[in-house]
Every structure is written in structure tokens, then in C-alpha cells.
Amino acid sequence: MRNSVGARAARRLLGTATAAVMIASTFAIAAPQPAGADVTSSGAKNCPDATDSFRTARPESVGLDPEKIRAAVDLLSVNGSETVKVFRYNCLVDSGIFDPVAGEIPGHLWSGTKLITSLAVGRAVTLGKLQVDAPIGKYLAPGLGDAAHRAITVEELLTHTSGVHMNYPREFNLAAPNTVREFMSDPFDHEPGTYFKYEQTGLTVLDRVVEIAVGEEFQSFVQRELFEKVGIPRDHWFWGTDRSGHSIGAGFLFLPGNDFARFGQLLLNDGTFAGQRVITAEFLRAARTSIPQNPAMGYLLWLNRGPYWINPSMTSEQRIPGRMYGSAPADMYTAAFGAFGQNIWVIPSLSIVVTRSSGTLTTASSRTDISDPEGPGLGTPGQVEYEFFRILMQSVQDTPRAAAPAYTTPAVGAFDAGLFVNPDDNLDLVGAGSTAPPGCSTLGCGGQIPGAEAVPALMAGGPAYASAGARLPGGFQVLASRIPDLFPRLLDGWSQTTALTTQQAPRTVPSLVETSRQSADASQNTTAHNLARGNPSTRHTVGIGSLTTPCTGCRSRR
């Protein structure tokens, strides 16, 4: 099973590499040299922040073993990562196989978008326009939502603890006429601030709150106050909205991987870039502070510490013992954690940042790691990430670390059908459920039919891809310069993947079969239960759903 998956991935990557080499051969110009001098040549400890390009350094000049760094990067590259970048002391020390070309194309960040939403809040706080402990009703229009929903705080949205009911068909209903009204009419499952539940719609409300607080259209604000601050032009990205023009806070930001990495430098520098303070250190400290409801969660950032963590799975909520990444230091945090491999990992104690992107043009990753029990990158990190950080830590020569323990495949929780099947939620998709936003239908709200508001965000995709196309010749030149090293790197990554497959399959496949059987039983029971009851406001989940408690004594509902 795994060998056939690996073979398909190998053929896909080989085809990509061959095509890249053929196109690159049409350019006779010598490849440009990496920007910036080696840090050791000037005796500097840190590289300056990126201007047009990242400043580079040889791995050994910043205390890293070059062979181990290359092996770690190769492993990620052949497992669906279109871009990989490793920084130490702000210097780019290695990058992925396809970075020169894939890194210029705007790719869907999926839940990596949540990082930008968090930073937008942080920027508004830095400018004195927003307070994280304030209720969202302070900023939203009068009359929007009842007192209970308006009392939800900005911080509760930042930490997934709003208590508002979550159902994926509603959360991902891109045809919803007004996502903010949708959230403000959803019932409560828990008392706000008491329970962690990974959700999506509330983050669109968060973007709307920022927009009102700063008094400016949200995407104009983030361009001037975030993207421009780290050197990202407006024509490099676009961000989807709902039909009312609200930026989708949980996803649908398309950004090139090379630009995505700039936010890694911003975080490594504790909120400064090119000597300018962008986000206050106080906000980032709070963002990196664990919440009691989930030790791995901060302000939409994932922390690598605590006795357990509750995962962001789409299929079953799990309380998983240990750290998210057992082979990485406890002070590491995952600033971006998007489906299919959209990541920014920051290790402050070692001054290391790793960024990864995949899924260009909305396509799924070609990741082959079957040890991820939730599927290709949808849930818990798998053995590919575990092995990557194990090798990365071995590469650090100036700070010896104990060897990581053996990888353990996490158990899969029983599938929670209630996340997808619920009478009120499903009827609400056509504006007929009892919890549908008042005065709204599938056409619109308040007698209006929105739609044109979303057009500018879609149109911005054209300039973004045109800009990417203009940059590709330079990327192909760089790729052409790497041709002698290209196939050895691919073979290195494939051999590592094969070795991991040999270790994984005997213990992973039986586990997946058993959990699939358990999930099928749980799904049948939950679906019947929800259909019989049809009341999401007191919903319990099954399987690992013992984590869920009903909302008793919640603030008054609509």
C-alpha cells in the first residue's frame, strides 16, 4: 500500500523536476548569486531582515551541520512541500528543492491564514485601536446579535473559546450571504471562555472587528500595516471574502511561499522587521501563552509544550498526550498550522525558523506520510515532521541535545458525525434552519442580495498570478543552476521516505483499519442521535466526545 503511494509521489515529483529542468534549459543566463554576504565574512551574529531577497549563510557558519540540514529539508521536499526554508540567526541556511519556482506562486495557506488574522489583531492592538479583553459588541454595529454573542471577547475568538456551536458545513459555507450574521446567530455549546473548540467562522468576525476598530477596509489595512512592513507588495497576494465582502479569517489567503517566510522572520525578531516595531512584544508574549482549555493554544498559535494537546482535527476532537512535536524543543511554537503543510515553526531558544508551504493553486499536497492518522496533513503531525525535527536537532552543533524518543503513531478518535450532520445546521445552509440568521435567506439578508462585494478579492488573483509569472524566469534560472544537485536530492528524500514507510506500515495500517471500523460505528450512532434530537445547542459528541460538555448556564441566547 505505502510503496504504491510512494511510487506515485516519486513519479509526480520526477515529472515536475523533469519539466522544470526542460524549461530552465531555455535560459542561457547564469543563475544569480544568493543575496547578501556570508555572516562569518563580516563577523556579524545576525543577518539583516530580507529586503528584495533573504540574506544567506553557510549552515556551518551558524553552528549547523550542512549534511543533516540538507537531509531534513530533502525529506520535507519529497513529501509534498513545495517550499521549505530554514533560517538561523535570521540567515537563510537552506531551502527546498523546488523553492525557486514554486515559492513565487500564490498558494492557498488554508488555516495558515489564521496567523495573519492574529497578526492583524496584534497590529491593531499595537496602534492602540483594539483591546483583546474587550467584548466584540464594542466594535460591531448596534443590534447585530444578542447580548450573549456581543459579550464574547476578542481574546475568546483568538483562542477558540467563544463557546459558539461549530459545524463544518456551516463553517465552510462559502455561499453564505453574511458570515458575521451567521456566527452571531449560532447557538452556544459552552459558556464562553470555558472550552476549546477549533472553529472557523468566528475568525471572520475577528477580521470584521479589526476593520471597524481601525476604521478602514480590512485588506487595505493589512497591506499597509502588515504586508508592506515585511516587504510584500500588494500584487503578490489575494484573500477570499464572503458575499458581503468580509475577509475569511480562517482561510482563503493566497500568498507565495517565499513571502510567507517573511512572517517567520518577523516572529523570530519578536515583532520587529528591518528595525521597525510592527507588533508589540507584549502582544506576542500573550500570543505565546498557553490557555487553560488547551495547553497547546495561544492566540491562534500552536505551542509545543504541556502534558497534552487538543488537536484541530476535522473528524474527531482528541486529547493527545505529550507535545505536538515530540522531537522538537518545548519552546517551539507553530505560528502557522495549515492543512496540507502550511507551516511556520519558530524555536526562540535556538534562533531557528522553519517555513513550509504546499498546495499551490489550491491543489492538495502530494504528501505520502501515512503515519498521520487523520490523512494527508489534516490533523496531527505525522512521522515525516517528527523525523524532520529529529534530524534538525541533530544538526545543531553548538547546543547538544538528547536524542528524541521513538516515534509513536497517535490513536485516531472515532469520527464525530455531529460535526457534519445536524438538522438545524444542514437546513441553515438553505436559510431554513431554526438557528439561521434572522432576516436572512440563501439570497441575502434584509432584502439585499450581496455578491458584488466579493468580486474585488477574486479579481486580485489575476494580478497576483501575473506578478508570479513575471518572476518565474529568475526562479527557473536558479533551478537550472541546481541541476547537478537536483536528482541526488530527490533520491535522498525518497530513500528517507522509503525507510520511514518500512517502519510505519506494520504498526500504522492495522491501527487505521481498526479506527475506521470504530469510526463507522460511531458515525452511524451519532447521525441517528442528531437526527432524532435536532437540537445542536445541547449537543454531545461521541468517541472522544467525552471531552465535550453541554452548555449549561450559558449567557442568554437569541
Side-chain angles (χ1 to χ4, degrees):
M1 171 183 174
R2 176 51 188 268
N3 289 336
S4 64
V5 173
R8 287 197 300 273
R11 288 194 296 271
R12 182 162 52 244
L13 285 167
L14 182 60
T16 301
T18 302
V21 171
M22 291 176 63
I23 296 173
S25 66
T26 64
F27 297 94
I29 305 173
Q33 295 300 309
D38 189 304
V39 285
T40 56
S41 63
S42 62
K45 180 68 172 178
N46 292 288
C47 285
D49 293 318
T51 51
D52 292 338
S53 303
F54 294 109
R55 298 295 292 269
T56 62
R58 295 190 306 269
E60 59 271 25
S61 72
V62 290
L64 301 175
D65 183 314
E67 292 186 4
K68 287 186 170 61
I69 285 289
R70 177 54 53 90
V73 170
D74 289 351
L75 178 63
L76 284 188
S77 289
V78 303
N79 280 279
S81 302
E82 293 166 356
T83 72
V84 183
K85 297 188 188 310
V86 180
F87 299 85
R88 194 173 199 202
Y89 302 128
N90 226 36
C91 310
L92 178 63
V93 297
D94 207 347
S95 57
I97 295 171
F98 303 110
D99 281 52
V101 174
E104 299 293 352
I105 303 171
H108 189 184
L109 295 186
W110 298 91
S111 285
T113 304
K114 293 179 174 70
L115 167 64
I116 311 304
T117 290
S118 180
L119 293 178
V121 173
R123 182 58 181 164
V125 169
T126 300
L127 295 173
K129 304 287 188 179
L130 185 65
Q131 296 173 295
V132 295
D133 59 353
I136 59 176
K138 176 180 178 180
Y139 305 100
L140 297 177
L144 178 58
D146 62 11
H149 286 82
R150 296 179 67 84
I152 294 169
T153 66
V154 171
E155 187 170 51
E156 286 165 351
L157 292 180
L158 280 170
T159 56
H160 294 294
T161 58
S162 72
V164 170
H165 172 62
M166 198 278 291
N167 176 274
Y168 277 110
R170 288 181 73 156
E171 301 272 313
F172 291 147
N173 180 19
L174 299 182
N178 191 312
T179 307
V180 175
R181 287 182 178 272
E182 180 76 33
F183 177 85
M184 299 298 281
S185 72
D186 284 347
F188 287 93
D189 280 348
H190 305 280
E191 179 73 27
T194 66
Y195 188 82
F196 170 85
K197 187 68 176 180
Y198 188 68
E199 57 94 21
Q200 318 296 318
T201 308
L203 304 187
T204 299
V205 179
L206 199 52
D207 285 354
R208 177 60 176 157
V209 165
V210 170
E211 185 173 65
I212 296 172
V214 301
E216 182 180 4
E217 191 273 331
F218 178 77
Q219 294 191 17
S220 297
F221 172 76
V222 296
Q223 171 56 35
R224 188 187 67 255
E225 297 295 340
L226 279 181
F227 291 98
E228 189 175 303
K229 301 295 186 187
V230 298
I232 301 174
R234 181 62 183 90
D235 64 356
H236 279 204
W237 61 273
F238 63 101
W239 197 333
T241 71
D242 69 5
R243 288 165 52 200
S244 293
H246 301 127
S247 295
I248 301 170
F252 295 92
L253 171 59
F254 291 74
L255 180 70
N258 290 347
D259 289 331
F260 190 39
R262 291 172 178 264
F263 289 105
Q265 287 195 321
L266 174 68
L267 293 167
L268 183 64
N269 297 332
D270 206 26
T272 65
F273 197 93
Q276 182 179 4
R277 171 63 62 184
V278 181
I279 309 291
T280 66
E282 292 78 11
F283 179 86
L284 290 177
R285 277 196 294 272
R288 299 189 300 264
T289 300
S290 296
I291 63 172
Q293 300 83 358
N294 184 357
M297 177 52 53
Y299 286 176
L300 303 179
L301 311 182
W302 291 86
L303 313 175
N304 197 42
R305 58 176 180 265
Y308 68 91
W309 65 290
I310 299 174
N311 68 338
S313 171
M314 284 186 62
T315 59
S316 63
E317 186 177 86
Q318 294 176 261
R319 178 171 171 153
I320 302 173
R323 305 198 304 265
M324 284 183 69
Y325 299 89
S327 56
D331 74 313
M332 185 181 86
Y333 64 95
T334 307
F337 191 48
F340 308 117
Q342 329 300 325
N343 299 112
I344 296 178
W345 294 293
V346 184
I347 310 176
S349 62
L350 298 176
S351 295
I352 288 176
V353 168
V354 180
T355 68
R356 171 176 69 168
S357 66
S358 27
T360 293
L361 305 179
T362 77
T363 59
S365 161
S366 57
R367 171 187 171 133
T368 57
D369 182 11
I370 63 170
S371 74
D372 177 354
E374 301 289 348
L378 289 176
T380 57
Q383 189 168 5
V384 164
E385 288 88 356
Y386 190 93
E387 184 70 7
F388 169 80
F389 284 109
R390 186 189 67 81
I391 300 172
L392 181 66
M393 291 303 98
Q394 288 180 346
S395 78
V396 180
Q397 299 174 321
D398 53 12
T399 310
R401 308 186 68 85
Y407 176 75
T408 302
T409 303
V412 184
F415 177 70
D416 180 4
L419 294 173
F420 297 89
V421 180
N422 184 282
D424 271 333
D425 290 321
N426 301 137
L427 286 172
D428 179 61
L429 297 177
V430 294
S434 64
T435 58
C440 296
S441 68
T442 54
L443 295 178
C445 301
Q448 298 181 344
I449 303 177
E453 292 86 349
V455 172
L458 295 175
M459 292 183 64
Y465 289 122
S467 177
R471 301 193 303 275
L472 285 181
F476 281 122
Q477 292 175 40
V478 175
L479 190 63
S481 72
R482 297 181 179 181
I483 288 175
D485 189 42
L486 186 64
F487 291 101
R489 292 192 63 180
L490 288 170
L491 291 173
D492 174 43
W494 290 333
S495 65
Q496 292 185 71
T497 298
T498 300
L500 293 181
T501 302
T502 303
Q503 299 169 18
Q504 291 173 25
R507 62 175 180 264
T508 301
V509 173
S511 173
L512 291 176
V513 171
E514 173 60 21
T515 52
S516 296
R517 184 191 64 77
Q518 294 177 7
S519 293
D521 293 341
S523 175
Q524 184 178 10
N525 294 336
T526 304
T527 302
H529 184 61
N530 281 332
L531 290 174
R533 181 179 53 189
N535 179 11
S537 65
T538 56
R539 179 177 56 88
H540 291 267
T541 58
V542 297
I544 200 67
S546 57
L547 289 173
T548 302
T549 58
C551 177
T552 56
C554 286
R555 299 167 183 157
S556 60
R557 304 186 184 91
R558 173 176 58 85

